[in-house]
Amino acid sequence: MIEMPDTLKFHFDVDGSDFSSAGEASVVVKKKLRQLGYPADIIRKVSIAMYEGEINMVIHANGGTAEVEIHENEIVIILSDHGPGIPDVNLAMQEGYSTARENIRVLGFGAGMGLPNMKKYTDYMKIDTKVGEGTTITMKVYL
Amino acid sequence: MKLESLCNSLSLKVITGDTEREFSGVYVGDFLSRAMTCVKQDYLWITIMTNSNVIAVASLTDAAAVLLAEDVVLLPDALEAARENGITILSSSLDAYRLCLHIGKLLEES
Ligand SMILES: Nc1ncnc2c1ncn2[C@@H]1O[C@H](COP(=O)(O)OP(=O)(O)O)[C@@H](O)[C@H]1O
Ligand SMILES: [Mg+2]
């Protein structure tokens, strides 16, 4: 009998030096989920959450890694970086709060909606962050 | 409404992609995080942003097309990304407000 693996895993290195490629990992994951036949609302949630997390690693943390695990009951997204960390998570979670500078805002980033959207469009979100060490954000979308 | 009839009525330029798709709504805005949640599947997204992040958002949201207002020009790597991802890019000399006025009228009539 052939055992089907019950978990699909993807790993991405997110380049922090190239703003123009930001979001590419999310696009790959979205296409994969579409191929696998997941419902549109699930794809939308994962796309929004992962995109925002990926962008944050690029614009605030000089890049990082993204792991996506597709389980039977949930999709797990883990974003890790060795950036500056988030000093005040409650403040950072507020809609509209952004430390993005003008040179980044002219590119369309820095609306201050990333973290709130990640929270809103996932079923679970945990932020582990330490100033000077980095940030790991775990998000889950239940299937 | 089909993108094709929108293009004809408003004399939009087709920068890349086909105009076969129907669009079911419109969003105007340049902040990517806002567009990410407000552009719904099959929407027409009007913006003046021209970098390749626009293509990522259009692709992630399943937008019907991106309509560039005020004759802004897509950056070369963004154009390439649009072609690769099959994103339709339209362009007009009109600003977003005027585009919306015209589109609103068209949708009312149809
Ligand atoms: N991975 C990260 N590393 C360091 N700081 C972060 C990270 N993600 C978010 N932040 C901080 O939280 C703030 C709010 O994030 P977000 O809601 O995504 O808004 P925006 O990215 O538009 O600034 C950011 O401006 C930044 O100060
Ligand atoms: Mg953000």
Side-chain angles (χ1 to χ4, degrees):
Chain A
M1 201 176 99
I2 300 165
E3 286 269 324
M4 285 290 286
D6 50 12
T7 303
L8 264 177
K9 288 187 185 177
F10 301 93
H11 171 91
F12 302 91
D13 291 310
V14 177
D15 184 355
S17 64
D18 181 10
F19 288 177
S20 68
S21 68
E24 272 177 7
S26 306
V27 172
V28 171
V29 168
K30 186 217 151 184
K31 284 182 180 161
K32 198 77 211 171
L33 293 176
R34 156 95 43 97
Q35 275 172 18
L36 291 167
Y38 284 93
D41 62 320
I42 294 290
I43 296 177
R44 183 172 150 78
K45 285 176 170 182
V46 172
S47 294
I48 291 171
M50 181 167 169
Y51 173 79
E52 294 293 357
E54 187 185 349
I55 293 300
N56 280 354
M57 291 200 298
V58 175
I59 65 175
H60 303 300
N62 198 31
T65 59
E67 314 285 339
V68 179
E69 298 169 4
I70 306 174
H71 299 273
E72 203 186 316
N73 303 322
E74 62 189 15
I75 296 175
V76 182
I77 306 160
I78 304 165
L79 304 158
S80 296
D81 66 63
H82 298 290
I86 306 172
D88 185 340
V89 172
N90 285 331
L91 185 61
M93 286 297 300
Q94 282 177 22
E95 291 191 2
Y97 175 82
S98 176
T99 58
R101 271 173 284 178
E102 190 52 30
N103 63 324
I104 285 170
R105 291 169 67 88
V106 293
L107 296 172
F109 302 118
M113 294 304 293
L115 290 172
N117 281 346
M118 288 155 74
K119 175 105 191 131
K120 186 171 165 193
Y121 286 89
T122 56
D123 299 300
Y124 169 94
M125 174 164 128
K126 182 159 90 70
I127 303 178
D128 293 304
T129 185
K130 204 164 176 201
V131 173
E133 287 185 16
T135 302
T136 295
I137 298 184
T138 305
M139 295 180 284
K140 294 180 185 180
V141 172
Y142 299 146
L143 296 172
Chain B
M1 174 184 278
K2 226 179 182 181
L3 289 172
E4 193 180 3
S5 43
L6 177 78
C7 290
N8 292 338
S9 308
L10 270 64
S11 308
L12 305 180
K13 281 160 265 174
V14 181
I15 307 299
T16 181
D18 68 68
T19 52
E20 290 302 301
R21 248 171 108 171
E22 303 258 340
F23 69 99
S24 63
V26 182
Y27 178 72
V28 187
D30 304 316
F31 261 132
L32 299 167
S33 288
R34 291 274 173 186
M36 195 59 214
T37 54
C38 295
V39 175
K40 306 278 159 60
Q41 186 173 357
D42 297 324
Y43 267 37
L44 178 71
W45 175 23
I46 304 176
T47 182
I48 49 163
M49 282 292 167
T50 55
N51 57 52
S52 46
N53 302 108
V54 168
I55 309 306
V57 171
S59 175
L60 287 166
T61 54
D62 277 322
V66 176
L67 171 48
L68 300 171
E70 299 178 48
D71 266 341
V72 295
V73 177
L74 215 55
L75 297 174
D77 58 340
L79 180 58
E80 199 188 306
R83 289 198 176 118
E84 263 171 33
N85 288 283
I87 306 293
T88 298
I89 308 288
L90 311 170
S91 148
S92 170
S93 58
L94 299 179
D95 62 28
Y97 170 67
R98 267 161 233 289
L99 283 169
C100 288
L101 278 183
H102 288 302
I103 295 168
K105 242 188 235 159
L106 282 176
L107 289 178
E108 243 169 51
E109 287 161 12
S110 74

